[in-house]
Amino acid sequence: MFSSPTVRVSFLFVAIALVALVFADVAITAANPWKDLGRFFMGIVTPDFFSSEGVALALLRTVAFAFVGVALGGLCGFVLSLVYRNPAVRMFCAFIRAIHELFWALIFLQFFGFHPLTGVLAIAIPYAGIFAKVYSEIFEEADPTPGRLLPPGTGVVSAFLYTRIPDCWVQLRTYTAYRLECGLRSSAILGFVGLPTLGFFLESAFSQGHYSEAGAMLILFYVLIATMPLWVKPKLLPVYILGAPFFLGEGLPIVWGNVERFFTQDIIPSPLRNGEGIGSLMPWLGDVMATEALPGIWNTLVLTQIALVATGLIALLTFPLISNHFGGPVRRTGGHTFLVIARSTPEYILAYILLQLWGPSMLPAVVALALHNGGIIGHLIGRQSSAIDLRPDAATGFNRYTYELVPRVYRAFLAFLFYRWEIIMRETAILGILGIYTLGFYVDSAIQNIQFDRAMMLILVTALLNIGVDALGRFIRKKLALQTMPTC
């Protein structure tokens, strides 16, 4: 068994997670967590859909921000994908997608304020980098034969439109629809920084102990995600995209002087801004690294590695819930419901809820990251396992799981897991805004203290860390010859 490279790598990551667990702050610190958890679940089963007049408007604006942000990101990403082979373009796209949507929102809030442009750009910019990468991979995998059959003298643009686009259309459409679902989750959590989406009302309901109201919001959000195939129709997309900007709200007017000051003064390192000279820059940078960046990097890595392994365990345990090779239709329906809830709940919202119930530690973050990402991978692996044909005399029960299915889906499982490694890292960093001592905690503290130069330096560190983990994940997938598959 240990002669297999995939098994050796798996045990290596499990060992790293166990070591990280020794250094992690994993505890339940709330005085009465089970009582609070019971009140929360009671709110879920007794939702109050009419408690707040703003819930319907919040859902509408959540959808509006998602459509505008994803549409703008998709358009820019498509253009960038055409020149993605350029190393400078690849690095640019890697950088912008390495910064989480909430970090982008915190940046734009400093000079755009609570204007709809803040939310739209916070979604569109990282999504443009993601779209560019995935669209480029889809175009590269397209069959080149139709292009060779074109008559001589056919223009490059015409050849692309008439051969490459039709061949890739199904993949482009499928991935864009999937990214729209991700956009809805991103739009929802923007409310936690003050934008008028679902997260804003959810945070307000929880802070006041209105669990039935919070439960109603979560249920409506799940219904919104689950019914997307019913209301997101190709013929209606132009109507949605053209109409969405009118439902973003007006917000506060933009003060362009703040924009100029942000780029010419606020983000300039304080030694240079105060005229202390270039010699004082290194001590300032050393202080940022020693007191904020390095502790944030350490906690981010510790939490990421624990959450990565926990994600894998949940995915392996849950994919049989929807596999055709286990149970009957009733069980699979229940499994689908559980995985839809798990993957539809943004990690940030789930971590916020668990922090309110269990108190501040890394445990809520680990559980939130593992449930969300494990739900996504479990759903994908479950669908893949259903397509496997078993022999008539194949083992049943637990032996079917361990000896028949897991070995046959394990390489795909690792491919998905290492693909999401960088995504888990991005989410781990941003969860610091909730009070966990990852990089996001120090970014948020610097912004609260009006130290935008330190905040931008820490965001840059976060982006470089994510790029490094993404590169390492690609290296491991390549060494193990794992097929890469884009996921949200």
Side-chain angles (χ1 to χ4, degrees):
M1 180 176 69
F2 287 97
S3 62
S4 170
T6 56
V7 173
R8 291 201 300 269
V9 168
S10 299
F11 275 99
L12 174 62
F13 273 81
V14 171
I16 292 173
L18 290 175
V19 173
L21 200 57
V22 175
F23 298 96
D25 173 26
V26 178
I28 296 178
T29 59
N32 198 340
W34 297 113
K35 180 180 179 181
D36 292 336
L37 193 62
R39 291 177 60 198
F40 170 68
F41 281 113
M42 182 59 65
I44 293 290
V45 299
T46 58
D48 186 354
F49 294 102
F50 305 101
S51 59
S52 175
E53 298 178 356
V55 173
L57 183 59
L59 284 172
L60 181 61
R61 286 182 173 166
T62 299
V63 173
F65 274 107
F67 268 101
V68 178
V70 173
L72 183 59
L75 178 61
C76 295
F78 178 81
V79 174
L80 289 169
S81 70
L82 303 180
V83 290
Y84 195 75
R85 292 184 179 181
N86 186 298
V89 174
R90 285 203 305 272
M91 285 301 299
F92 172 74
C93 292
F95 178 77
I96 61 175
R97 71 172 180 265
I99 301 176
H100 194 277
E101 299 91 278
L102 276 185
F103 279 145
W104 283 113
L106 288 174
I107 292 171
F108 292 127
L109 276 173
Q110 308 315 312
F111 50 87
F112 286 154
F114 293 104
H115 191 276
L117 194 58
T118 294
V120 169
L121 293 180
I123 296 174
I125 291 178
Y127 277 39
I130 297 170
F131 274 122
K133 177 187 177 183
V134 176
Y135 284 173
S136 174
E137 292 174 352
I138 292 174
F139 291 143
E140 288 178 359
E141 295 172 1
D143 184 3
T145 303
R148 299 193 189 108
L149 302 178
L150 291 173
T154 303
V156 176
V157 176
S158 298
F160 181 80
L161 292 176
Y162 287 100
T163 61
R164 192 64 60 87
I165 292 294
D167 188 48
C168 301
W169 179 248
V170 174
Q171 296 96 314
L172 294 173
R173 184 183 63 188
T174 301
Y175 183 75
T176 304
Y178 190 55
R179 183 52 56 181
L180 177 60
E181 178 183 333
C182 301
L184 287 170
R185 293 197 291 267
S186 298
S187 177
I189 66 173
L190 289 178
F192 284 88
V193 295
L195 294 172
T197 62
L198 187 67
F200 178 83
F201 292 90
L202 190 63
E203 183 180 27
S204 176
F206 259 100
S207 63
Q208 298 176 57
H210 297 163
Y211 293 113
S212 292
E213 183 178 337
M217 295 180 200
L218 288 174
I219 291 172
L220 289 173
F221 186 67
Y222 296 145
V223 171
L224 185 71
I225 296 289
T227 59
M228 282 184 65
L230 301 178
W231 59 272
V232 180
K233 300 291 186 180
K235 293 182 179 180
L236 295 176
L237 283 178
V239 177
Y240 291 149
I241 294 172
L242 292 175
F246 297 99
F247 295 95
L248 295 175
E250 297 181 359
L252 299 175
I254 297 174
V255 180
W256 292 104
N258 294 339
V259 180
E260 180 183 359
R261 187 181 67 249
F262 183 82
F263 287 103
T264 60
Q265 298 182 36
D266 293 343
I267 64 174
I268 304 299
S270 58
L272 301 181
R273 188 172 65 243
N274 298 332
E276 298 174 13
I278 195 71
S280 59
L281 184 60
M282 290 308 296
W284 175 84
L285 183 60
D287 179 63
V288 173
M289 294 299 296
T291 61
E292 299 173 21
L294 291 179
I297 290 172
W298 171 255
N299 288 322
T300 300
L301 290 173
V302 166
L303 181 51
T304 297
Q305 295 311 116
I306 298 172
L308 181 70
V309 172
T311 293
L313 291 175
I314 287 180
L316 289 176
L317 291 174
T318 56
F319 86 80
L321 296 178
I322 64 169
S323 175
N324 290 337
H325 300 298
F326 298 96
V330 174
R331 178 178 175 179
R332 288 196 294 272
T333 300
H336 275 292
T337 302
F338 171 76
L339 291 180
V340 165
I341 293 174
R343 71 176 190 266
S344 297
T345 308
E347 301 101 313
Y348 193 92
I349 290 179
L350 187 54
Y352 173 81
I353 293 172
L354 294 177
L355 277 167
Q356 308 307 307
L357 301 176
W358 294 347
S361 79
M362 287 187 178
L363 181 60
V366 170
V367 174
L369 290 164
L371 280 176
H372 175 76
N373 292 283
I376 290 175
I377 299 176
H379 169 73
L380 296 171
I381 296 301
R383 289 196 311 178
Q384 191 170 103
S385 71
S386 297
I388 295 176
D389 292 326
L390 298 179
R391 304 185 314 274
D393 60 341
T396 59
F398 187 69
N399 288 336
R400 171 175 292 187
Y401 172 80
T402 53
Y403 294 108
E404 292 285 347
L405 290 177
V406 169
R408 296 167 76 170
V409 301
Y410 197 74
R411 294 180 65 82
F413 157 75
L414 283 184
F416 283 121
L417 188 63
F418 286 126
Y419 194 95
R420 293 202 68 83
W421 191 9
E422 181 263 344
I423 298 172
I424 292 173
M425 176 77 77
R426 290 173 67 242
E427 296 292 340
T428 298
I430 201 66
L431 290 179
I433 296 178
L434 295 175
I436 304 165
Y437 293 120
T438 61
L439 280 164
F441 173 83
Y442 296 98
V443 171
D444 189 51
S445 297
I447 291 176
Q448 294 295 328
N449 295 325
I450 320 180
Q451 296 175 320
F452 301 125
D453 52 345
R454 299 176 81 94
M456 293 301 294
M457 180 59 63
L458 292 169
I459 289 175
L460 176 61
V461 169
T462 304
L464 294 176
L465 186 63
N466 288 340
I467 291 172
V469 168
D470 186 37
L472 181 57
R474 288 199 308 270
F475 173 77
I476 294 174
R477 293 200 305 268
K478 184 177 180 180
K479 292 294 288 186
L480 297 179
L482 302 175
Q483 182 183 0
T484 60
M485 288 157 280
T487 59
C488 178

